[in-house]
Amino acid sequence: MRHTLIAGNWKMHKTLPEARELVTALRAGLESLRGGDAVEVLICPPVQLLFPMAKAVAGARIMLGAQNAHNEPHGAFTGEVSVPMLTDTGCTHVIIGHSERRQLFHEDNALLARKVRAVVAGPLTVIYCVGETLEERESDRTRRVVGRQLDEVVKSDVPADRLVIAYEPVWAIGTGRTATPQQAQEVHAFIRERLSATYDKPTASRIRILYGGSVKPDNAAGLLSQPDIDGALVGGACLSPDDFLAIISIAAGLPRK
Ligand code: PEP
């Protein structure tokens, strides 16, 4: 069985007082949520908030993740943060390969492969993001692009129990345009098949594959009820405690896979 994971990527949002307010509301909401323990909840705030947010979530069923990490453990890399440093904060997860990192910071598969290995050596759980652009989808290259993002980064030396994949079509991130549940399921099934070739079928069937791209309370049920969608990586909607809690509550109400 795969435990549903709802992860919030705060991106570059929230000052300390704003973050405290958000987490206080989230904790209160989670405490009163029936069946909420069927769902794992993760928040990924910007790096300056990791220490205070570790304190803010202590004792709650909220895990803490980072949005990026350097592949080296230490060194002359001004402005960067390493996996051992993230581990110090209480982080258990790190997002690697978000499309904004790929596009705006020119991170390619070769670099991401090193980052993924640094995270799992941590030993933390990596949420490795894959997804095609609109142009790639429209020219029928989704499988080729996503297949390469997997093949060049996820090899059998990456421990499956520290790996989560997030399928995030680039055209759906922050655009309000979501993949239909069928479009998402199709790619998730393809990803699981590819993982079966890298690992084996039983192992691939245990790896969680999240969907990300404008997930909101009004489209979460359709997406999360698909057989190969094991949770969501939520951007915009995780900044509102009401929306994020609504998505968690929808996930909690669905049958386990
Ligand atoms: C994201 O940043 O990973 C994301 C999916 O953002 P949004 O939900 O805002 O599309």
Side-chain angles (χ1 to χ4, degrees):
M1 258 200 180
R2 299 187 295 267
H3 212 159
T4 304
L5 172 62
I6 303 295
N9 174 12
W10 292 15
K11 307 195 186 188
M12 199 174 73
H13 292 288
K14 304 291 179 190
T15 59
L16 181 55
E18 291 166 346
R20 287 204 169 115
E21 197 180 320
L22 172 54
V23 168
T24 302
L26 206 53
R27 281 188 75 132
L30 279 175
E31 271 160 29
S32 57
L33 188 74
R34 285 168 67 100
D37 45 357
V39 176
E40 286 183 1
V41 177
L42 172 72
I43 57 169
C44 302
V47 75
Q48 96 285 5
L49 291 172
L50 289 174
F51 271 116
M53 289 305 101
K55 246 188 180 172
V57 300
R61 287 186 319 93
I62 303 174
M63 302 180 295
L64 195 63
Q67 302 172 16
N68 180 35
H70 196 274
N71 52 289
E72 293 293 337
H74 47 76
F77 301 106
T78 301
E80 291 291 322
V81 177
S82 73
V83 174
M85 293 167 184
L86 294 175
T87 308
D88 273 352
T89 70
C91 262
T92 51
H93 293 65
V94 185
I95 299 171
I96 293 292
H98 190 280
S99 69
E100 287 151 17
R101 300 294 318 173
R102 288 181 188 267
Q103 293 196 318
L104 304 175
F105 300 96
H106 313 294
E107 296 191 356
D108 61 14
N109 289 339
L111 173 63
L112 297 174
R114 294 199 292 277
K115 289 189 171 205
V116 163
R117 277 152 188 82
V119 173
V120 297
L124 303 183
T125 297
V126 64
I127 301 181
Y128 174 58
C129 302
V130 298
E132 81 288 1
T133 62
L134 186 58
E135 190 206 341
E136 288 161 346
R137 172 161 282 264
E138 287 178 343
S139 56
D140 208 17
R141 283 184 288 150
T142 298
R143 283 170 183 244
R144 201 186 317 161
V145 170
V146 172
R148 186 179 299 163
Q149 289 168 336
L150 290 171
D151 293 348
E152 292 183 5
V153 175
V154 180
K155 301 186 201 269
S156 57
D157 64 310
V158 176
D161 58 353
R162 282 186 219 136
L163 173 66
V164 175
I165 303 289
Y167 169 56
E168 299 208 305
V170 179
W171 48 273
I173 297 178
T175 59
R177 188 176 164 186
T178 324
T180 64
Q182 293 70 26
Q183 282 175 322
Q185 166 56 28
E186 210 174 281
V187 182
H188 279 234
F190 166 75
I191 292 171
R192 201 173 302 285
E193 193 185 293
R194 205 73 165 209
L195 293 172
S196 305
T198 302
Y199 298 96
D200 54 46
K201 217 168 172 178
T203 307
S205 72
R206 288 197 301 272
I207 297 174
R208 287 175 296 182
I209 308 173
L210 313 183
Y211 170 79
S214 299
V215 176
K216 310 280 178 212
D218 63 356
N219 58 29
L223 290 158
L224 293 171
S225 54
Q226 295 301 309
D228 288 294
I229 299 185
D230 307 314
L233 181 52
V234 183
C238 80
L239 300 174
S240 145
D242 288 350
D243 286 352
F244 197 50
L245 283 163
I247 294 168
I248 295 164
S249 163
I250 288 163
L254 291 169
R256 298 281 296 273
K257 291 170 195 146

